[in-house]
Amino acid sequence: AYTVARVPRFHQIYTDGTTRRQTELINMLIGYVTDEGLKTVTLDNMIISPEKKSLSTAQALMQSMENAQKLLKGWREVTKELYPDDEDILALIPLPEAATLTKARDAYITTDTCSQAKYVRTQMIKAIKDLAVKEGICENTEDFRMHELDCWNHLRNLWIEHAVDTLEKRVKTDLAEDLLDIPKIYRVDVAMNLLLRSIDKEFALTANYAKGHGSMFAHWMEISHPGALLFPTARMLGGTRQDAVTEGALPAYMNRHYCVEFLFQKLCAGTTE
């Protein structure tokens, strides 16, 4: 709140969503330019849209700036109560109205490439323009220009997603006879996202999956391979992520020897675990 109120202009607004434990979370970041280059500050990373619709999501994002204004207002009130005769200290805290999205004139709003995110982006621009007219910054919304931008990281991952689909088809064709020999009850598949989900469930050290053995695997690594470099597994659970396969491929490859050795020992141990 302090930073967004102090900077004179926003150059970029970025928002994206994720899912943790069946709860959809949205973040909102503000980009601004200083003498040292582009800086980014997180305005809010735990925004929850009540209705999970594009319009309510845009309203929740707008509300995050209003929450920043409330924080600044409360900060100033407490400071004034503690130091009633010191105007210099109070002057260091920005006024609440300085935290406003109308600083985003000529700025970019960046989201991912799905249709819902693009609609949220459009609704946000409309709301910010209406706010600019309300605050008297411009006479009509056409005078307040903003730009829409697709996230380049998501665009890259869309390309990789198609490459992964092509690769999976090739592997499935090459291993067609071998796959027929494996009983379907084991649910063996060549889909990379399913493989990485299984790795996350079994080996994630966060132990978010109840049937996984992340803590057991961590203890086994300390005994069997002390000091070994272990890459953290990519988070694959809790929702679809476009960059999941891209992020998860490296740790899966680098940890493969340890994971296979751990599974082999446990399968040969003669216990239900």
Side-chain angles (χ1 to χ4, degrees):
Y2 175 82
T3 302
V4 297
R6 288 295 300 272
V7 297
R9 180 191 167 209
F10 303 155
H11 289 75
Q12 184 182 35
I13 298 175
Y14 179 81
T15 178
D16 194 13
T18 187
T19 305
R20 293 307 301 268
R21 301 183 184 275
Q22 292 76 50
T23 301
E24 293 185 8
L25 304 174
I26 311 164
N27 63 16
M28 184 171 177
L29 287 74
I30 304 294
Y32 59 97
V33 175
T34 67
D35 295 337
E36 300 177 353
L38 180 66
K39 301 289 185 179
T40 304
V41 59
T42 301
L43 182 63
D44 198 336
N45 63 353
M46 295 287 286
I47 303 172
I48 300 178
S49 176
E51 298 180 6
K52 301 179 182 180
K53 296 180 180 179
S54 299
L55 182 57
S56 62
T57 299
Q59 293 171 346
L61 290 167
M62 297 292 294
Q63 182 66 41
S64 64
M65 187 61 78
E66 296 180 15
N67 293 337
Q69 293 177 351
K70 293 178 181 178
L71 289 174
L72 290 171
K73 182 180 178 181
W75 188 8
R76 288 179 62 88
E77 290 175 351
V78 172
T79 302
K80 189 173 182 179
E81 183 179 347
L82 293 175
Y83 307 99
D85 300 325
D86 197 335
E87 293 294 331
D88 292 336
I89 294 182
L90 189 63
L92 296 175
I93 306 173
L95 295 171
E97 53 267 26
T100 174
L101 285 171
T102 56
K103 290 182 178 180
R105 192 169 192 170
D106 289 321
Y108 292 89
I109 291 191
T110 307
T111 65
D112 67 26
T113 54
C114 71
S115 57
Q116 181 178 0
K118 288 184 176 181
Y119 186 71
V120 170
R121 187 168 67 194
T122 303
Q123 292 300 311
M124 277 195 67
I125 290 178
K126 181 179 181 300
I128 294 173
K129 287 185 174 184
D130 291 339
L131 181 62
V133 174
K134 182 179 178 180
E135 293 183 0
I137 296 176
C138 56
E139 294 184 358
N140 53 70
T141 56
E142 287 76 15
D143 295 334
F144 195 93
R145 185 173 62 175
M146 296 186 70
H147 310 280
E148 297 185 49
L149 184 66
D150 289 333
C151 173
W152 287 18
N153 184 56
H154 285 85
L155 290 173
R156 177 198 65 184
N157 287 311
L158 283 175
W159 180 87
I160 293 177
E161 186 177 15
H162 288 288
V164 169
D165 290 341
T166 303
L167 180 60
E168 288 176 357
K169 292 177 182 178
R170 172 63 185 272
V171 173
K172 196 168 187 177
T173 300
D174 293 346
L175 300 179
E177 294 183 2
D178 297 304
L179 292 173
L180 290 175
D181 294 335
I182 302 175
K184 292 185 177 180
I185 190 175
Y186 295 124
R187 298 190 298 177
V188 175
D189 201 298
V190 300
M192 291 187 181
N193 65 320
L194 297 180
L195 171 62
L196 295 175
R197 281 177 62 88
S198 298
I199 292 175
D200 185 22
K201 287 180 176 181
E202 177 65 15
F203 297 104
L205 304 184
T206 54
N208 281 331
Y209 186 66
K211 297 180 181 179
H213 299 90
S215 58
M216 182 186 296
F217 176 63
H219 179 68
W220 178 85
M221 283 292 298
E222 292 178 359
I223 296 175
S224 303
H225 301 280
L229 177 62
L230 186 67
F231 283 69
T233 59
R235 181 178 63 82
M236 299 292 297
L237 307 179
T240 302
R241 296 170 54 233
Q242 290 179 317
D243 58 347
V245 173
T246 310
E247 182 182 344
L250 178 62
Y253 180 80
M254 298 301 293
N255 297 342
R256 67 192 188 283
H257 297 300
Y258 305 130
C259 294
V260 171
E261 182 183 349
F262 172 79
L263 292 174
F264 180 77
Q265 288 190 15
K266 295 306 173 185
L267 287 172
C268 296
T271 65
T272 56
E273 290 293 328

